Amino acid sequence: MTRRQDTAAAPGPTRARLGRTPLTVSRLCLGTVNFGGRVDEPEAHRLMDHALHGGIDFIDTANIYGWRVHKGYTEELIGRWFAKTPARRDDVVLATKVGNPMDDAPEGGGLSAKAVVAACEASLRRLRTDRIDLYQLHRSDREADWAELWDAMDLLVRQGKVRYVGSSNFAGWDIATVQHAASAHRARSAPPAPDEDRSTAGAAPRPAPPAPSHDDAFPSLALASEQCCYNLFVRHAELEVIPAARAHGMAVLPWSPLHGGLLGGAVRKAAAGTAVKSAQGRARTALADPGVRRNVEEYERFCADIGRDPAEVGLAWVTARPGVTSTVIGPRTPEQLDGALRALASPLSEAETARLDALFPPIGRGGPAPDAWIT
């Protein structure tokens, strides 16, 4: 094992603002897609305890998670965890998602006002809480009436059931479309300007109100974040999704930072017979390509050369990317969660990052997509 030959970057902050909102979150977010099926309830509760103890106070779920048992099971599991110690609800930033079908009923999914309000009420019951800190649209519904969607979110925010709204798996143009609809909703909902007092005709104009501070400049009725698939192997989000999110003042929350285990030592684990997640799904599909397999083998050799676990390297790369606020991780054990914390505490050096870019180069010339795709 070779020691790292150049100095790593200094650790960054462990918390960040959720876009332009005043809400702060931990730089790692505990994803719960494995709860119910791959992780049983007692172990899931231990993981949430361990995460909170380690400074991870951001928990992400979705109303459909737990489908291996039944849809909604994961929210129920989290609700039972809250019920054991109700006071810790105030210590957690809780995110869930809406939009995917829960059943075969016509209003069982999608983003109509009726579906969104009903789904929120059901999630609150399962989670045993009175509020959702970040309510995310799980996927873009291009048949939805976005004006109607914002009417529903306006109602939920006014009722105190939702604090902020986010998106997930949106294209860059979806983000722009929905943000424009939010702006139009706010303009329609703004109170009319008071009539000018006729007795003041000809008087000097009243001074303009002070500009909003940075803390209150972000309206509750706008997308506060985008959760997207982003990792060394899949970098499409760099072209338009992340630039769109940053342009609209949104947080970026990458999911699948190791691409389903592909970047977590998949080849080594397969050889040792210890592969679990990396032996299935996206990782297995990717490794079937001989060229990808060679790159992953080289990646694992590089990680060995610098004396770091591949999962830590892949996660350290994502957490340091421009625009990334908090990275959604899906550990199945406390040891995997500890590895994620080490990745956050030990950033990669510039030379190490350059080597990873050479192994898994960005699309095109790197950075945002060219204007009108003219290269």
Side-chain angles (χ1 to χ4, degrees):
M1 184 178 296
T2 304
R3 294 184 63 184
R4 298 172 72 175
Q5 295 180 352
D6 58 310
T7 304
T14 58
R15 302 190 64 76
R17 290 175 64 135
L18 189 76
R20 289 193 290 115
T21 78
L23 182 65
T24 65
V25 296
S26 52
R27 294 288 315 286
L28 294 176
C29 174
L30 181 64
T32 61
V33 70
N34 289 322
F35 292 3
R38 292 192 176 111
V39 178
D40 64 21
E41 183 158 338
E43 186 63 15
H45 284 191
R46 283 192 289 272
L47 274 171
M48 288 188 284
D49 288 341
H50 196 66
L52 206 54
H53 181 73
I56 300 173
D57 65 356
F58 193 10
I59 296 179
D60 175 76
T61 190
N63 59 354
I64 64 164
Y65 285 2
W67 66 85
R68 298 174 185 88
V69 180
H70 61 258
K71 291 179 180 180
Y73 176 78
T74 301
E75 287 187 334
E76 294 169 354
L77 181 157
I78 294 170
R80 289 189 285 271
W81 180 69
F82 282 137
K84 291 197 299 185
T85 311
R88 69 179 152 205
R89 173 63 188 91
D90 292 334
D91 298 328
V92 169
V93 177
L94 179 62
T96 191
K97 308 183 195 75
V98 60
N100 280 319
M102 292 291 285
D103 52 47
D104 295 329
E107 295 285 350
L111 297 176
S112 70
K114 180 180 178 182
V116 167
V117 171
C120 181
E121 298 285 1
S123 286
L124 290 170
R125 288 193 297 270
R126 287 189 292 263
L127 290 162
R128 303 192 190 190
T129 185
D130 61 349
R131 69 198 183 280
I132 295 165
D133 297 306
L134 180 62
Y135 201 33
Q136 300 162 107
L137 314 177
H138 207 160
R139 60 181 177 83
S140 179
D141 179 358
R142 290 172 184 157
E143 301 299 317
D145 181 332
W146 295 119
E148 178 183 297
L149 179 279
W150 285 116
D151 285 342
M153 289 301 185
D154 193 352
L155 174 66
L156 295 171
V157 170
R158 290 176 186 274
Q159 291 176 337
K161 296 173 181 177
V162 168
R163 292 182 68 187
Y164 297 105
V165 181
S167 59
S168 179
N169 304 313
F170 273 35
W173 66 272
D174 288 320
I175 290 171
T177 298
V178 178
Q179 293 289 51
H180 177 74
S183 179
H185 176 90
R186 295 194 301 274
R188 289 195 308 272
S189 304
D195 291 336
E196 184 72 15
D197 186 343
R198 295 180 183 275
S199 66
T200 61
R206 296 174 181 174
S213 69
H214 185 75
D215 280 352
D216 61 14
F218 188 87
S220 294
L221 285 177
L223 294 177
S225 62
E226 160 60 18
Q227 189 175 145
C228 56
C229 182
Y230 183 39
N231 54 60
L232 261 172
F233 182 66
V234 175
R235 300 181 63 168
H236 301 89
E238 294 174 347
L239 296 175
E240 295 196 351
V241 173
I242 293 176
R246 297 183 74 183
H248 286 279
M250 297 165 61
V252 175
L253 313 174
W255 64 268
S256 197
L258 301 179
H259 200 69
L262 178 72
L263 302 170
V267 174
R268 180 195 67 200
K269 291 175 181 177
T274 59
V276 180
K277 192 170 183 179
S278 59
Q280 54 192 291
R282 290 187 298 275
R284 181 179 181 182
T285 300
L287 285 175
D289 182 319
V292 171
R293 190 178 187 89
R294 284 193 297 272
N295 270 24
V296 174
E297 289 172 344
E298 181 61 27
Y299 167 74
E300 292 184 13
R301 283 193 292 270
F302 165 74
C303 294
D305 286 344
I306 63 172
R308 299 192 67 179
D309 183 78
E312 292 181 27
V313 172
L315 188 54
W317 182 87
V318 175
T319 59
R321 300 303 296 167
V324 169
T325 302
S326 182
T327 303
V328 182
I329 57 173
R332 288 175 285 105
T333 66
E335 292 74 22
Q336 290 178 343
L337 194 151
D338 288 341
L341 288 169
R342 286 193 297 271
L344 185 64
S346 303
L348 301 168
S349 68
E350 290 185 9
E352 289 165 349
T353 300
R355 177 60 180 142
L356 292 173
D357 281 338
L359 283 171
F360 299 101
I363 298 170
R365 298 177 184 175
D371 293 345
W373 287 89
I374 299 171
T375 58

